[in-house]
Amino acid sequence: MREYSIHLKRRIIKDPVLGELQYEEYDSPESCKFDKNEFICDLPFNDIEVQGNGNVHMCCPGWNPASIGNLLTEDLNAMWNSEKARTIRNSITDGTYKYCNAKTCPAMSAGGGPRIVPKSTFVDPQNEYPKNIAFSIDNTCNLVCPSCRTSRIGTLDPVAHNKALTILRTAFKSVFNTPHDKSITMTFDGYGEIFFSPVYREIFDTEEVFHNPEKWPNFKVVLCTNGVMMTEKIQQKYSNLFDRLRGIRISIDAGNKESYDKVRCGGDWELLWDNINYLYKNTLKDNPNKTWAWNVVLQEDNFESIPELIKLAYQYPDNLPEIYIVNILNWGTYKQEVFDQKAVWGASSTKHNQVKDILALPEVMNYPKIQIPNLN
């Protein structure tokens, strides 16, 4: 096995169509575990992700940094059908994946996933506009998780608040200007906590699409939350959201209270499970078409608790959650020496073999809905 460093490096390229692109990566070997000539990632054909500065990407910018435009100054539908968008799609169909970062993309490092499909069966959907729109625009949160931030972000300044509202309302106007029955899913929010955010509370309370479902019968939502503020009261207040639920992603990050308190600073382990139990009973139990995932950022403080998280998952047999494990990355919140210790997925970590042993346990490997990262 080749040893490699977990020190973050940056690579900048200048592309004639997409401009300057900055890649964050580690000094590791090429890590795509599927044949890029035989499989298609369908994300650029169906999805966009919108950032807080208005930039629009066809994937998580940590995995593909290329932007196709900015929602504050450009039309969404024009961006979706632009030369930039076609260039990214062509890089997938020609097998080069030249704009993708195989060293950070979890699907590439895991060897596949639900969005990686055989080229022999893939048909370009040629959507008029994105079928799936994910927003990562509001980083306010009730928690202070060390892997994400160094201090509590309780409010946006007025300029950022208004910018976030403008981005959301512009996107909504683009796809919900008139009633239609086309399928569209919006994901809120990969950056902060939606049930803590004044921006999202205003959007959920005022946008027509949330209150007149008969006009857009195939509009669905995916909610990203840490689960702590998703109380019974909140679930009842925003029942219009949960009625439209396609999926929900809960950042749990641990299988026991001891680990949880280390990685989810400010969280409440008991309240989290009260909220999850209410969600399961009232929304998920009898609706297997409404999916849910428990997210785990693999690190020193939680890897030993993963088998316990598996046991907890079996308490929901009528709709088992997906368990989605990704390697911790340094988003600038750790000094390098601290990150080296936290990043147990790296082969240079003294706990690397322990992590591999944990993830190779039969109860982990045999869980029917789990995605495990490549540890090299």
Side-chain angles (χ1 to χ4, degrees), residues 120-282:
S120 59
T121 61
F122 175 75
V123 177
D124 186 344
Q126 298 184 341
N127 295 314
E128 178 184 352
Y129 46 71
K131 185 177 179 180
N132 304 302
I133 303 176
F135 296 95
S136 297
I137 63 171
D138 184 352
N139 63 352
T140 57
C141 189
N142 56 313
L143 303 187
V144 189
C145 302
S147 61
C148 177
R149 58 198 66 204
T150 58
S151 61
R152 188 173 185 269
I153 303 174
T155 58
L156 293 176
D157 66 67
V159 173
H161 178 95
N162 290 331
K163 182 183 291 186
L165 284 175
T166 299
I167 290 169
L168 286 163
R169 295 201 190 284
T170 300
F172 276 67
K173 184 178 180 180
S174 295
V175 296
F176 301 124
N177 188 41
T178 58
H180 61 73
D181 61 358
K182 295 177 182 177
S183 176
I184 185 166
T185 299
M186 287 187 168
T187 298
F188 315 105
D189 178 295
Y191 203 19
E193 173 51 48
I194 55 172
F195 297 118
F196 182 78
S197 163
V199 170
Y200 279 108
R201 290 200 298 268
E202 181 172 341
I203 289 294
F204 297 153
D205 288 340
T206 60
E207 282 292 327
E208 184 183 9
V209 69
F210 293 112
H211 305 288
N212 293 292
E214 70 283 356
K215 292 186 177 182
W216 297 276
N218 293 316
F219 169 54
K220 300 293 183 181
V221 300
V222 174
L223 305 178
C224 302
T225 175
N226 60 50
V228 177
M229 295 192 68
M230 188 186 63
T231 61
E232 177 180 342
K233 181 179 180 180
I234 286 293
Q235 292 183 53
Q236 292 175 353
K237 178 180 179 179
Y238 294 112
S239 59
N240 52 352
L241 281 178
F242 292 93
D243 289 344
R244 291 178 173 272
L245 196 70
R246 180 181 298 277
I248 186 165
R249 303 167 186 168
I250 306 174
S251 295
I252 297 178
D253 268 346
N256 58 43
K257 185 178 186 303
E258 180 183 5
S259 294
Y260 180 83
D261 288 344
K262 293 178 181 178
V263 298
R264 300 263 99 192
C265 297
D268 185 321
W269 179 253
E270 287 77 19
L271 178 59
L272 169 68
W273 291 103
D274 287 344
N275 298 343
I276 286 175
N277 289 334
Y278 184 84
L279 173 71
Y280 180 74
K281 178 182 177 182
N282 291 276

Side-chain angles (χ1 to χ4, degrees), residues 317-361:
D318 294 322
N319 190 349
L320 282 176
E322 177 183 355
I323 296 179
Y324 189 72
I325 304 173
V326 296
N327 293 331
I328 188 174
L329 298 177
N330 192 355
W331 304 108
T333 61
Y334 292 111
K335 292 182 179 179
Q336 187 61 54
E337 61 270 20
V338 176
F339 179 69
D340 290 351
Q341 180 179 340
K342 298 293 183 183
V344 290
W345 56 265
S348 59
S349 168
T350 58
K351 297 184 178 180
H352 182 72
N353 288 333
Q354 288 177 255
V355 177
K356 293 182 69 174
D357 289 343
I358 290 286
L359 296 181
L361 289 171

Side-chain angles (χ1 to χ4, degrees), residues 18-57:
L18 294 160
E20 184 173 286
L21 306 175
Q22 178 174 286
Y23 290 83
E24 296 183 346
E25 57 184 26
Y26 294 85
D27 184 18
S28 61
E30 169 70 29
S31 54
C32 183
K33 301 303 179 185
F34 60 79
D35 187 336
K36 292 182 286 187
N37 289 309
E38 297 295 330
F39 289 90
I40 294 284
C41 173
D42 75 3
L43 279 166
F45 301 87
N46 293 287
D47 295 41
I48 60 169
E49 179 168 329
V50 185
Q51 302 292 295
N53 59 4
N55 283 347
V56 176
H57 299 259

Side-chain angles (χ1 to χ4, degrees), residues 62-81:
W63 309 336
N64 183 334
S67 170
I68 61 171
N70 190 289
L71 201 56
L72 291 170
T73 58
E74 300 172 67
D75 177 73
L76 174 61
N77 296 335
M79 280 186 273
W80 181 248
N81 295 288

